[in-house]
Amino acid sequence: MLINNWYVAAKSQQVNREKPLIVRMLGQNFVLYRTPEGEAVCLANTCCHRGGSIGRGELDGAGCIGCGYHGWKFNPQGRCVEIPALGKDAKIPKRARVDSYPVEEHFDWVWVFLGDLEEDERPRIPATEFPEYHDKENWRVVSMEFDADVNWARGHENSLDSAHPAFVHASFGRRSAPEVQIVPLVPNAFMGHNATRQRVPPKRSQISADIAKLVSEKRGKTTASTDSYLAGISHRIDITREGNIRQVTVSARTPVDPYNTRVFAHQARNYLLEEEHDEARREGIRRAYKEDLDVVATVEPKFVPRSMAHQLLVEADQMETAFRKVLIEKVKQGWEIDFDRLQDEGRFRHYSIPSPARRKDPKNWVHPVVPTTFPR
Ligand code: FES
Ligand SMILES: [Fe+2]
């Protein structure tokens, strides 16, 4: 799992001014809430006092949160501003603070930057890459979330993979046309790549009832444009069928821990815009994710191998290969959490995902930074 990346922590509507929300990412707990002005805040959830769950506490209505154990009050920057047991005028120790992480909201998702990079060094969120989400006149969006017991990188590779639909997805893969068109990959501005391929569409009898009425039996090829982005371990898949029938799926996967992933997905369509068609789309997405996750849950090893030579990737796996290269590069930059060491050493001491404030002041923290597999 990588630090120094943006992850979707929650849907915007889940984060409010009344009740803190505890979210698990990268094997750690975080607490999210909003200030009275509506700004979303994300803090490390483990209290620097005696390890209490800050998110079990209460919001004070003035932008601070009191820890659920002894009420130490933290501001949105993670600074402790009050220690009730010491009285109102007590001097607050410098080390009384927890990490506070940068937050942005895009597509009604709360994105959190879990790392300590300066703003211009961070992977860019593909905020500009989903205009369909905002165009309510011409597009209709359905949204879903899934919890899956698969590794995040394995899950992401599956989304980029054009060779599996013919074998895994009965409703849109075409068993009789399994070839993957080899195309030049185009790097995008989001530490990922685009592949735009033509493929043979499924037979009309394969596809779900609503859209089947819109397409003819003998139709031209479908264009599938897939973008992979590092931020949010996300992607955009833009499918254009005959007659400019389009469907754009943007999804992000948040590593809950090495073995579990939470998927956030939006799908925009430019056909059958009425609400009554939403459920059929949701059903299609649910079915496709289940088919994918059932396969990915059974691959071995559970994680992406550390060397390209440990599996036999072929030319049709070009997007997955490109993603692995990006991963390897980031691992070598010291972005990968050393989970084994953390499991061991973390039994007696809490380790935290570093936040940007650590850059300016690396001392005066109770919780040290999580170990990484390569030096940073
Ligand atoms: S553990 Fe948080 S206030 Fe004591
Ligand atoms: Fe799939």
Side-chain angles (χ1 to χ4, degrees), residues 281-315:
R281 283 320 317 141
R282 278 198 206 97
E283 185 43 40
I285 299 168
R286 223 176 272 134
R287 193 187 322 120
Y289 268 100
K290 183 170 178 349
E291 287 165 350
D292 281 331
L293 297 173
D294 284 352
V295 169
V296 182
T298 58
V299 299
E300 290 177 346
K302 294 284 173 214
F303 304 158
V304 169
R306 293 195 181 272
S307 162
M308 293 285 189
H310 295 172
Q311 290 182 325
L312 184 57
L313 277 78
V314 295
E315 215 180 356

Side-chain angles (χ1 to χ4, degrees), residues 47 49-52 67 69-72:
C47 184
H49 174 217
R50 277 167 48 203
C67 173
Y69 201 174
H70 314 92
W72 286 27

Side-chain angles (χ1 to χ4, degrees), residues 158 164 169 172 288 292:
N158 167 259
H164 81 282
H169 299 302
F172 59 91
D292 281 331

Side-chain angles (χ1 to χ4, degrees), residues 148-161 164 233-235 237 251-254 258-263 289 292-293 295-297 299 301-304 320 323-324 327:
D149 53 353
V150 302
N151 170 261
W152 58 280
R154 286 290 208 171
H156 188 56
E157 285 192 357
N158 167 259
S159 310
L160 305 179
D161 174 358
H164 81 282
I233 313 296
S234 56
H235 70 244
I237 298 178
S251 80
R253 36 204 58 60
T254 305
Y259 300 95
N260 293 279
T261 305
R262 184 162 306 123
V263 180
Y289 268 100
D292 281 331
L293 297 173
V295 169
V296 182
V299 299
K302 294 284 173 214
F303 304 158
V304 169
E320 299 90 297
F323 170 63
R324 282 196 191 181
L327 266 193

